[in-house]
Amino acid sequence: DGAFRRAVGVTLLGSAAALLLPPAAARGEVVPVHLKARPAQVKVAPGVKMRAWTFNGTVPGPVIRVTEGDTVEVTLSNAKKRRWKGHGSFHSVDFHAAKIAPSLAFTDVAPGKKKKFSFVAGTPGVFMYHCGTSPVLEHLGLGMYGMIIVDPAEGRPPAQEVKLVQSEFYGRVNSGRLHPSLKAMRRKPPRYVAFNGRAERYARRPIEVPVGEPVRIYMVDAGPTGASAFHVIGNIFETVQPDGNPDFSLSNVSTHLVGAGGAAVFELTFPEAGIYPFVDHSFRSADAGAVGRFMAVDGA
């Protein structure tokens, strides 16, 4: 329970870090999205690095934000084969926000090649995108996922916005490196569970939020396997929108389950200044690093 104790403690372990998302595009725009599948070395836990498979060199990949009715023009390019190891030669991208034939759009891209396709973002919400190449478990377990936000055409009320992607990392640790394997992904619990690519990231660097003003959390559970029982200690979500659907809202929820591949929008207000830990309330995941802290500040 060391990770959890660090999250609920009152000593600040780094500077506050707010994740503010960019403004949405105007409705009906054509939005170009360029993704490059390439390996990169990333930090997945304090003092632990991993050679990941990524979109654009980061885990998770870049946040994509569009407006309902926009056309998303996707270009996926794949790094040359000599840079990949294991099953990592071919890659693809599957958008959960799209209504499109996957046999046409989500097909594999060979090393050194690229593919283009487009879809209309007709459903508002928050969704996952990820590599869909077999074995999908391995591609996800090595970091190939991200978030796409589709803002409703009428917009959302003003709020400070935060994005969180929860995910799992598997394998053994040796000399400060995580050595992932498909076998571990299939047979063992995750070694680390992370928000935005790093276990305990926001336990050490709290996210600063305002007191008494609305805060909106866009949350994706990238898995690849586990669900997230998302909870903010000392607070209750005023609304929860599964998949970020503005037409379907739950009220006064303390903990909400987001399945692997799923997402939600959480809205809440912090009543007074102080530290509010957030966790995956499945505490094996919290102990593996799925913990963080909001730091509510007057006048933030």
Side-chain angles (χ1 to χ4, degrees), residues 3-251:
F4 176 67
R5 288 200 304 270
R6 284 188 288 275
V8 300
V10 295
T11 302
L12 301 185
L13 301 176
S15 61
L19 288 171
L20 300 180
L21 297 175
R27 185 181 184 186
E29 295 288 329
V30 175
V31 181
V33 172
H34 297 275
L35 297 173
K36 184 171 185 177
R38 67 179 183 89
Q41 182 172 268
V42 299
K43 190 173 183 179
V44 298
V48 179
K49 296 181 179 180
M50 181 187 85
R51 182 174 170 82
W53 298 350
T54 78
F55 290 113
N56 294 16
T58 63
V59 177
V63 173
I64 299 165
R65 192 165 194 177
V66 300
T67 300
E68 179 185 3
D70 286 347
T71 296
V72 183
E73 290 192 342
V74 180
T75 301
L76 174 66
S77 58
N78 190 357
K80 294 181 179 180
K81 186 174 182 178
R82 62 182 175 82
R83 300 184 64 186
W84 297 103
K85 294 183 179 180
H87 302 100
S89 295
F90 287 75
H91 296 286
S92 61
V93 61
D94 171 344
F95 279 89
H96 288 200
K99 294 181 179 180
I100 194 170
S103 58
L104 300 177
F106 301 161
T107 54
D108 291 350
V109 178
K113 303 296 183 180
K114 65 175 58 176
K115 178 183 179 65
K116 295 183 179 182
F117 65 91
S118 64
F119 66 91
V120 175
T123 304
V126 57
F127 306 94
M128 179 182 178
Y129 69 85
H130 63 90
C131 183
T133 299
S134 182
V136 179
L137 174 61
E138 183 176 37
H139 290 248
L140 290 177
L142 282 164
M144 299 194 77
Y145 44 78
M147 173 189 290
I148 177 169
I149 298 169
V150 182
D151 287 304
E154 65 276 14
R156 294 184 186 270
Q160 176 169 320
E161 297 187 330
V162 175
K163 61 96 171 170
L164 296 172
V165 177
Q166 181 172 323
S167 61
E168 306 147 14
F169 298 102
Y170 297 79
R172 59 182 178 85
V173 177
N174 184 29
S175 300
R177 295 190 66 84
L178 177 65
H179 299 274
S181 70
L182 183 57
K183 181 178 179 180
M185 295 172 198
R186 286 172 170 163
R187 299 184 180 181
K188 296 182 178 181
R191 179 66 181 82
Y192 299 109
V193 183
F195 289 115
N196 291 342
R198 189 179 304 173
E200 301 183 43
R201 177 188 290 268
Y202 304 112
R204 295 167 178 265
R205 296 176 62 86
I207 299 172
E208 187 174 299
V209 294
V211 171
E213 298 180 17
V215 174
R216 180 175 300 119
I217 304 167
Y218 296 85
M219 192 270 195
V220 164
D221 182 4
T225 300
S228 175
F230 190 65
H231 173 69
V232 176
I233 298 172
N235 213 329
I236 294 175
F237 301 119
E238 293 156 18
T239 65
V240 177
Q241 298 175 358
D243 278 341
N245 182 349
D247 295 327
F248 177 56
S249 182
L250 306 172
S251 299

